[in-house]
Amino acid sequence: MSNTPAPSAPVDSEIPRGNAAGFVKYMKHDLVSGLLVFLIALPLCLGISLASGYPPIAGIFTAIVGAILTTFISNSEMTIKGPAAGLIVIAIGCIQDFGGNGMLNGWDAADLAAYKAALAIGVAAAVLQIGFGLVRAGILGEFFPTSVVHGMLAAIGVIIVAKQIPVALGVSAGGEPLEMLLEIPHYIAEANPAIAAIGLVSILVMFLWPFAGSRVSLLKRIPAPLVVLIIAIPMGMGFDLLHAHSYTLRGHEYQLSEQYLVKMPERMFGMFNDVTFPNFAALAEPKAWKWVTMFFIIGSLESLLSAKAVDLLDPWKRKTNMNRDMVAVGIANLAASLIGGLPMISEIVRSRANIDNGARTRFADMWHGIFLLACVALIPTFLHLIPLAALAAMLVYTGYRLAHPTEFVHIYRIGKEQLAIFVTTIIAVLATDLLIGVAVGILLKMVIHVANGVPLRSLFKTYLEVQEVDENTTMIIARESAVFSNWLPFRNQIEQVGLLQKRNMIIDLSGTKLVDHSVMEKLKEIEADFEQEGLEFELRGLESFLPFSSYAHAARKRGLPTLHRLTLLADPELEDWLLEQMSDLGAERVFAFPCKTAGRSSTVDAGDKASASQTLCIEVLADFATIEKASAFVHQEVIPEHPVLCYTDKVNYVAGPGLTTSL
């Protein structure tokens, strides 16, 4: 998910809605955005499908069905539905488990049988998704800890990179992800130079084009995948990939042929001949239900998280009904799997592009699907010219973005325990599979919680007390713990009492032993929901908690916080000036009070006992960096001009119920 600020809504504009009136009113904006998103989606749909072990046309089927069906079922205005890189690992694993090899040696009977079995599994998972939405279980996406989800996505990114590098180099390869990573030097040595040239140039374009766009605004509007196709297709034609032939380079003979190009229908409307139906007999095998579970859980989780992220990016802050959206995705997945398509989700990258391109309503998603349908139906022979190495390069870049090194730094800043969970999840996924990896990450988080004092009884059960403060305000007092695993009933109580009854809300966490990072972030999200409804939302009781890091939403454990203190004894006439300066330096806890000095020499040259009683004492409680700045200011600006005494130390403090300053 992106940290880039969301685009601003146009000034003095009404909130666009995807109804009949909105279809006509915003057609220009939605049509243009749909066209631009189509240019991004086309190569990605082909590449994701191939990487998943499905025929390339399957990805197009998915995007078309998803775009058209979900537009009229979901109320999500900005999301683009389609195949996503995050499901590649599950899809190819399913294909291989049923005897396919991902078309490493061309499309054969084993690949077709595995493909039909995967379609049946897709149908079963889609039915579960529909039921999931109908029973209003979309909130279950809130259960999974942030660090575990990010670890899962980073591991998927590593797997995608490992499996697509050989394709970008023109090498046939297979195996486990860790094994393939170790074999990368061997792949480079065995690379087909012509194919590797296409792949490496495409990778360079994918990585360098964003930098070019940041310097030349005109280039920013041109999607990098489109630039890759503009370069890679002529390169493929220059190497004459349409015709089988060999060439010799440095004494080695290499083969080139259509096997390095995307396989597409050979005539207009030939796509309808590629419609493939599921083999439901595969569901009789016990192993099928493992893959049904993985498609259902991981696909639903990714879709819910993406839809939530897109809502945050939406300039008009429209809210998606997650249960309705899950039903829409399930119905579209059911239809796509019945005709030969991949599973789909709400896709974050294309949705972000949709927003950036000025879309107004959900009809932009529909238009992108219509453009895909027209392209694959009318010019399939042109799509056949796309080199597989170019598509692999796009996926290498996608995988790199999922496992970007800055993600490790970001998680570390949240807390060392979050980094441990993140890295453990990655390793577990790479060593086993997605479900086991996610389970290991969740288990480790629970172990850390128990080690930090969370009672076992409160891991899955909330202890809440609801009090009426006044006619407009309710307070919820939490006991024991507020952690990811007991968050769902906690959230439900907040929504039922606050948002549904339109009441202001106070959340008192002082009775808990631990508030974890996931809950801190979700409370911040709920605060935004209350603000949007014109309601007040206040957190209390965190003053006596120790944060695990300086990150604003880090996990917090009950204890006496340690802060740095600067104490300053000065003339009372300096009070207003000093308080203003300390505030400007970022100090939030500044206390001023009169004090007396005693001893042979007065700290402040008061002149007599009466004046000594008027000595001003200022105390600043803050983090180390703020105290350093304040101390430097005192030494450089105050001491040379005024007789003062200044010293710093560390203190542990606890705030009473009347003091509501936060950490």
Side-chain angles (χ1 to χ4, degrees):
M1 289 163 227
S2 173
N3 294 322
T4 308
S8 300
V11 179
D12 298 328
S13 64
E14 64 178 290
I15 298 177
R17 297 296 179 190
N19 49 29
F23 174 76
V24 176
K25 183 174 182 178
Y26 303 110
M27 179 180 289
K28 176 184 175 182
H29 299 283
D30 293 338
L31 192 64
V32 171
S33 182
L35 174 62
L36 295 174
V37 172
F38 148 73
L39 295 175
I40 299 172
L42 175 63
L44 289 177
C45 288
L46 295 171
I48 290 169
S49 191
L50 285 165
S52 300
Y54 287 54
I57 197 72
I60 303 293
F61 284 158
T62 298
I64 293 171
V65 170
I68 294 175
L69 284 183
T70 60
T71 294
F72 297 98
I73 303 174
S74 173
N75 76 324
S76 181
E77 297 287 6
M78 291 284 102
T79 55
I80 299 294
K81 313 295 187 185
L87 296 179
I88 288 176
V89 176
I90 305 174
I92 188 63
C94 177
I95 290 288
Q96 291 173 343
D97 202 14
F98 279 89
N101 59 21
M103 293 180 286
L104 290 177
N105 301 313
W107 186 253
D108 56 28
D111 289 317
L112 178 60
Y115 169 44
K116 289 184 175 182
L119 294 178
I121 288 166
V123 169
V127 171
L128 290 179
Q129 284 182 320
I130 295 170
F132 188 66
L134 289 176
V135 299
R136 304 178 63 82
I139 196 174
L140 284 178
E142 300 270 329
F143 171 80
F144 294 87
T146 305
S147 51
V148 172
V149 173
H150 284 218
M152 177 193 75
L153 294 175
I156 289 172
V158 172
I159 295 171
I160 290 172
V161 170
K163 290 186 175 290
Q164 291 305 304
I165 282 179
V167 180
L169 297 174
V171 178
S172 295
E176 296 300 317
L178 293 176
E179 177 187 344
M180 294 184 72
L181 285 172
L182 295 174
E183 287 292 315
I184 287 178
H186 174 72
Y187 300 150
I188 295 174
E190 296 295 321
N192 187 317
I195 304 304
I198 297 173
L200 292 176
V201 168
S202 300
I203 288 174
L204 286 174
V205 170
M206 290 299 299
F207 277 88
L208 297 179
W209 195 254
F211 293 102
S214 65
R215 287 162 176 77
V216 183
S217 58
L218 180 63
L219 299 180
K220 190 175 182 179
R221 303 291 296 178
I222 306 174
L226 179 60
V227 179
V228 168
L229 295 186
I230 291 172
I231 295 174
I233 289 176
M235 288 183 71
M237 295 174 68
F239 290 129
D240 194 20
L241 297 183
L242 283 171
H243 303 96
H245 65 284
S246 63
Y247 69 99
T248 302
L249 183 66
R250 292 188 176 181
H252 293 277
E253 185 177 15
Y254 300 94
Q255 302 295 323
L256 293 177
S257 67
E258 285 185 296
Q259 77 178 74
Y260 295 108
L261 296 174
V262 175
K263 184 180 182 301
M264 293 299 292
E266 298 177 355
R267 59 182 179 80
M268 290 176 59
F269 302 107
M271 61 179 289
F272 298 106
N273 294 330
D274 289 328
V275 170
T276 305
F277 301 107
N279 175 19
F280 290 106
L283 295 178
E285 299 186 45
K287 65 181 179 182
W289 293 96
K290 167 192 171 183
W291 298 106
V292 170
T293 303
M294 292 183 73
F295 273 125
F296 165 58
I297 293 179
I298 306 302
S300 300
L301 176 61
E302 281 199 60
S303 195
L304 288 168
L305 292 175
S306 296
K308 285 183 61 178
V310 174
D311 279 353
L312 295 176
L313 297 173
D314 184 356
W316 291 274
K317 301 304 177 187
R318 293 164 291 190
K319 301 292 290 185
T320 296
N321 182 318
M322 294 301 169
N323 297 306
R324 179 175 166 182
D325 193 62
M326 184 53 56
V327 171
V329 170
I331 291 173
N333 270 328
L334 178 63
S337 296
L338 286 172
I339 64 171
L342 279 162
M344 77 184 71
I345 67 169
S346 299
E347 213 287 320
I348 185 68
V349 175
R350 276 157 265 169
S351 298
R352 173 79 212 204
N354 190 40
I355 294 170
D356 291 342
N357 291 328
R360 295 294 192 270
T361 74
R362 70 192 79 168
F363 292 110
D365 186 20
M366 181 194 74
W367 286 119
H368 118 275
I370 290 174
F371 283 120
L372 282 170
L373 175 61
C375 179
V376 76
L378 300 177
I379 54 171
T381 53
F382 174 76
L383 300 181
H384 180 51
L385 298 176
I386 300 175
L388 296 177
L391 300 178
M394 298 178 198
L395 293 178
V396 167
Y397 179 72
T398 300
Y400 170 78
R401 290 290 301 273
L402 288 173
H404 198 286
T406 57
E407 188 67 19
F408 289 79
V409 177
H410 173 68
I411 295 293
Y412 175 75
R413 287 174 178 168
I414 294 174
K416 293 179 181 178
E417 86 290 353
Q418 299 298 317
L419 181 64
I421 297 165
F422 176 74
V423 172
T424 299
T425 303
I426 293 175
I427 295 172
V429 169
L430 292 176
T432 56
D433 59 37
L434 285 174
L435 277 184
I436 294 177
V438 168
V440 169
I442 291 174
L443 180 61
L444 176 60
K445 190 172 180 75
M446 289 182 177
V447 169
I448 291 174
H449 283 348
V450 172
N452 279 298
V454 172
L456 287 173
R457 65 179 178 274
S458 75
L459 275 178
F460 296 99
K461 181 180 178 181
T462 54
Y463 292 84
L464 304 175
E465 179 183 342
V466 180
Q467 295 182 357
E468 301 299 324
V469 178
D470 56 42
E471 60 182 9
N472 298 316
T473 307
T474 298
M475 178 187 294
I476 295 180
I477 302 172
R479 310 289 186 193
E480 301 290 354
S481 68
V483 295
F484 79 97
S485 51
N486 65 24
W487 167 246
L488 294 183
F490 195 174
R491 177 190 172 93
N492 184 61
Q493 189 74 267
I494 294 173
E495 289 186 338
Q496 292 291 330
V497 175
L499 293 175
L500 292 182
Q501 298 182 29
K502 303 298 181 183
R503 295 178 62 82
N504 300 322
M505 182 66 65
I506 299 171
I507 306 297
D508 187 345
L509 299 167
S510 60
T512 62
K513 295 180 173 64
L514 181 78
V515 183
D516 75 3
H517 162 59
S518 296
V519 170
M520 289 297 298
E521 286 205 328
K522 294 179 192 306
L523 286 172
K524 186 65 177 177
E525 293 174 9
I526 286 184
E527 182 180 4
D529 293 340
F530 272 76
E531 289 178 358
Q532 193 170 352
E533 296 293 329
L535 299 171
E536 295 181 6
F537 186 85
E538 179 186 347
L539 289 183
R540 289 184 183 176
L542 292 177
E543 298 80 18
S544 300
F545 281 67
L546 291 168
F548 285 19
S549 75
S550 60
Y551 184 72
H553 305 134
R556 294 156 190 263
K557 179 181 179 181
R558 183 201 289 275
L560 293 179
T562 299
L563 290 179
H564 293 262
R565 176 175 62 183
L566 179 144
T567 303
L568 185 65
L569 301 181
D571 192 296
E573 294 181 357
L574 300 176
E575 180 175 356
D576 292 341
W577 177 65
L578 288 173
L579 291 177
E580 180 182 356
Q581 295 301 318
M582 294 299 146
S583 177
D584 290 344
L585 290 170
E588 296 181 356
R589 303 173 192 82
V590 184
F591 308 95
F593 47 89
C595 63
K596 293 183 179 181
T597 57
R600 291 188 177 182
S601 61
S602 177
T603 305
V604 179
D605 189 11
D608 55 40
K609 292 183 179 180
S611 64
S613 66
Q614 298 175 7
T615 301
L616 172 70
C617 180
I618 291 180
E619 285 192 353
V620 180
L621 290 174
D623 56 54
F624 177 74
T626 301
I627 294 299
E628 281 281 282
K629 289 190 293 183
S631 180
F633 166 76
V634 171
H635 283 85
Q636 295 169 12
E637 304 291 338
V638 182
I639 289 178
E641 301 292 335
H642 305 281
V644 299
L645 173 66
C646 173
Y647 64 90
T648 62
D649 60 346
K650 288 184 180 180
V651 295
N652 292 330
Y653 85 101
V654 59
L659 189 61
T660 57
T661 54
S662 66
L663 289 172

